[in-house]
Amino acid sequence: MIRQQSISRRRLLQGAVGAAAAITAPAIGGGARAQGKNELVFVGFGGAYQDGQTKVLFEPFEKETGIKIVQTTGVEIAKLKAQVESKNVEWDFICLPDRLRAPAVQDGLLEKLDYSRFSTADLIKDTVTDYCCGAVTIAMQLCYNPQAFAAGKVPSGWLDVWDTAGFPGRRAMYASPTYTLEFALIAAGVAKDRLYPLDVDKALKNLDKFKKDAIWWTQFPQVEQFLISKEAVMSPWTRGVTAQLAGKPIHVSYDGAAITYEGWVIPKGTKNFDNAMKFIAFATQPQRQAELVKHISFGPTNAKALALVDPDVAKLLPSHPDNFKKGFLFSGEYWGSNLAKVTERFNEWRVS
Amino acid sequence: MSRSTLNSLLLFGLPALFIATFFVVPLVNSVAVSLGVPEFTLAAYRRLVDVPVYRAVYGRTLRVALIVTLVCVVVGYPCAYYISTLGRRGRIVAIGLIALPFMLSVLVRNYVWMVLLQDTGLVNRLLIGAGWIETPVRLMHNELGVLIAMANMLLPYVIFPVLGALLAIPPELRTASASLGANGARTFWRVTLPLTSAGTAAGALLTFIVGLGFYITPAMMGGAREMMVANLIAFNVRDVLNWTLAFSLSTSLLASTIVLYFAYRALLPRVATLQAI
């Protein structure tokens, strides 16, 4: 009896040692999965967007080049920073929002891209920078429930959002200074090309109008539910086009929309720079970008891609020249160096 | 050293190593970062004192956690008492029902509360339909919404310890109390309540500490003003990479929790604390 017990205990201990070793190994050994192999690790935002990227970009790329793409989710600049600082870089490429690009560049977390390997002539110029190559355009724009308004009397821009008498109903607002301050300034009469650097005090003063009555949301998926249930009749939002194309009672306006983009970036210290560059060249081709629109309603950055998209869809995308002109280019640069300071002011305004 | 001593050492040592590696080291590291190591500076902590928004958010966090704790005790104690009176099968079903929501993600539960509490939500529509009110009552996008959802999520932290304490009371004690002439209320006040005070205190403390760290719920159920320390920590860690400020926020939250914990222990009756905490 005693003997048996001691054997089983020893086994248990062996198991425990093994488990502890397995847990600590990645931290000690520094083993990103793809290193030294014909593989690339991609980190995305998950959901329908990443499913679309898989079908349109990753699978065809693997077929064409034989380079396998390993996927994970949870893009966070903090995780990227931790990886780069610990010299244990697991991600090989990311599709990074412009807002996160600026802090990533400032903290030295990205590799400079090698634009000698493919032509960027057809890409939207503003989205091609040293460390980041534009992949999709996204609009933070006025979205509203048309059923909440009389026909022909729907809101068309930020002035209408601030016109609570002319367009009654509750507003939903993004509980972050990014985008929100820009819209408040446009509504206060500031010209679109004179927004940056932002006049924070002026913007907050204008936001006082619905500080108490508005719904202040933080999670993007919340907005669809608010608009459809008419809990709010209008809100700035990034997924209005997808909702409108899906036949939901949500319409969008591009008047004064903040147009931003996501771009391909390569984390500093990756061992697969060459293959990652190969992927970026592949993913920015017009055909690939046009295909992606079928899965998620973001705009292509390649001018030639727009012509390949169904015209009814194309005219709703942020990249469409008409829409691009009506909106303004959101400044990731400004927010990269001012987010902390301005958010502190914004939070103070929130709690006061 | 005998074999079995070695084995016990290993058996104790491995979990200790695990805790040290994944809990103590990061914790010490976060305190160090908050102090700006290798230089030593209290600049981040100064900011927390100097900038009014941090004080305001700390005050709100403590207040929300405290109110939620009180609500959970007031609602949770009778719940636990009722469950303790059920038969074996009824008790299992009740415990299952209370534990079940734990298997849903916090995000999903917040959405459920949204659907119930918003202006166009189920509760308001029922009240309007019944003719009790004419315009919707604001049940969310304010502190009330945060309190309701948080109390719902934290109730089990009170119910389970109290239930444990209630079930541990030998039934003879109540019979004895009755045989000495005490009625039900007196038995409750003199026998049941004192014997469960330790469990209740433990549950309340747990609720309060967990409540301090709430993050998604205030963001989703609250309005412009509902912001908790955890929201500020998350913002500084993830969005602006100001880890010094973030860790000074988390370190001071931890420190105030520890201070409160000892104050709480000192205030509670000796016996009660010894048993439960």
Side-chain angles (χ1 to χ4, degrees), chain B:
Chain B
M1 200 188 294
S2 79
R3 246 199 118 76
S4 71
T5 325
L6 185 75
N7 279 351
S8 333
L9 257 179
L10 272 173
L11 207 56
F12 168 77
L14 283 171
L17 188 74
F18 182 86
I19 297 274
T21 315
F22 294 104
F23 187 71
V24 180
V25 171
L27 197 64
V28 170
N29 184 49
S30 74
V31 175
V33 171
S34 77
L35 293 169
V37 168
E39 302 118 65
F40 178 85
T41 161
L42 288 171
Y45 291 92
R46 267 226 79 88
R47 250 189 113 52
L48 298 191
V49 180
D50 289 346
V51 182
V53 68
Y54 296 111
R55 289 199 304 261
V57 173
Y58 260 106
R60 183 169 293 275
T61 306
L62 292 174
R63 198 180 76 174
V64 166
L66 188 68
I67 299 176
V68 167
T69 305
L70 291 176
V71 171
C72 283
V73 170
V74 170
V75 178
Y77 195 96
C79 264
Y81 192 88
Y82 172 72
I83 295 170
S84 75
T85 62
L86 295 174
R88 219 180 101 77
R89 194 167 294 171
R91 212 182 293 151
I92 292 171
V93 172
I95 290 173
L97 285 176
I98 291 167
L100 193 68
F102 260 109
M103 297 171 192
L104 283 176
S105 93
V106 177
L107 207 61
V108 171
R109 283 196 277 166
N110 277 313
Y111 271 101
V112 172
W113 277 114
M114 262 171 61
V115 172
L116 288 174
L117 297 182
Q118 61 188 10
D119 280 9
T120 51
L122 202 63
V123 173
N124 268 313
R125 266 189 284 169
L126 278 176
L127 289 176
I128 292 173
W132 290 5
I133 52 170
E134 274 168 23
T135 48
V137 188
R138 268 253 183 149
L139 298 171
M140 63 171 287
H141 307 306
N142 54 22
E143 195 172 82
L144 180 64
V146 178
L147 293 175
I148 293 173
M150 276 180 70
N152 163 258
M153 288 173 208
L154 291 170
L155 257 179
Y157 289 99
V158 170
I159 294 181
F160 287 130
V162 173
L163 183 61
L166 281 165
L167 294 176
I169 300 174
E172 302 85 53
L173 286 187
R174 275 172 225 174
T175 325
S177 170
S179 76
L180 290 172
N183 61 14
R186 199 171 161 82
T187 301
F188 179 78
W189 279 112
R190 298 293 299 273
V191 179
T192 314
L193 200 60
L195 285 174
T196 49
S197 62
T200 314
L205 184 66
L206 206 58
T207 308
F208 183 77
I209 292 176
V210 177
L212 282 178
F214 262 59
Y215 160 58
I216 288 284
T217 306
M220 286 181 68
M221 304 299 294
R225 308 174 73 157
E226 279 65 43
M227 219 186 309
M228 307 245 300
V229 176
N231 300 93
L232 296 181
I233 295 175
F235 171 76
N236 280 294
V237 169
R238 290 195 328 204
D239 292 0
V240 290
L241 306 183
N242 189 347
W243 291 1
T244 313
L245 188 66
F247 289 146
S248 69
L249 280 162
S250 65
T251 304
S252 42
L253 191 63
L254 180 68
S256 47
T257 312
I258 293 172
V259 169
L260 280 169
Y261 166 74
F262 282 109
Y264 194 80
R265 267 180 69 138
L267 288 173
L268 270 182
R270 229 179 112 74
V271 186
T273 37
L274 281 179
Q275 272 179 9
I277 307 171

Side-chain angles (χ1 to χ4, degrees), chain A residues 77 170 213 225 231 344 350, chain B residues 47 54 118-119 138 224:
Chain A
I77 202 94
R170 203 154 172 205
D213 298 320
Q225 202 269 338
E231 180 78 0
E344 212 167 59
R350 273 181 69 179
Chain B
R47 250 189 113 52
Y54 296 111
Q118 61 188 10
D119 280 9
R138 268 253 183 149

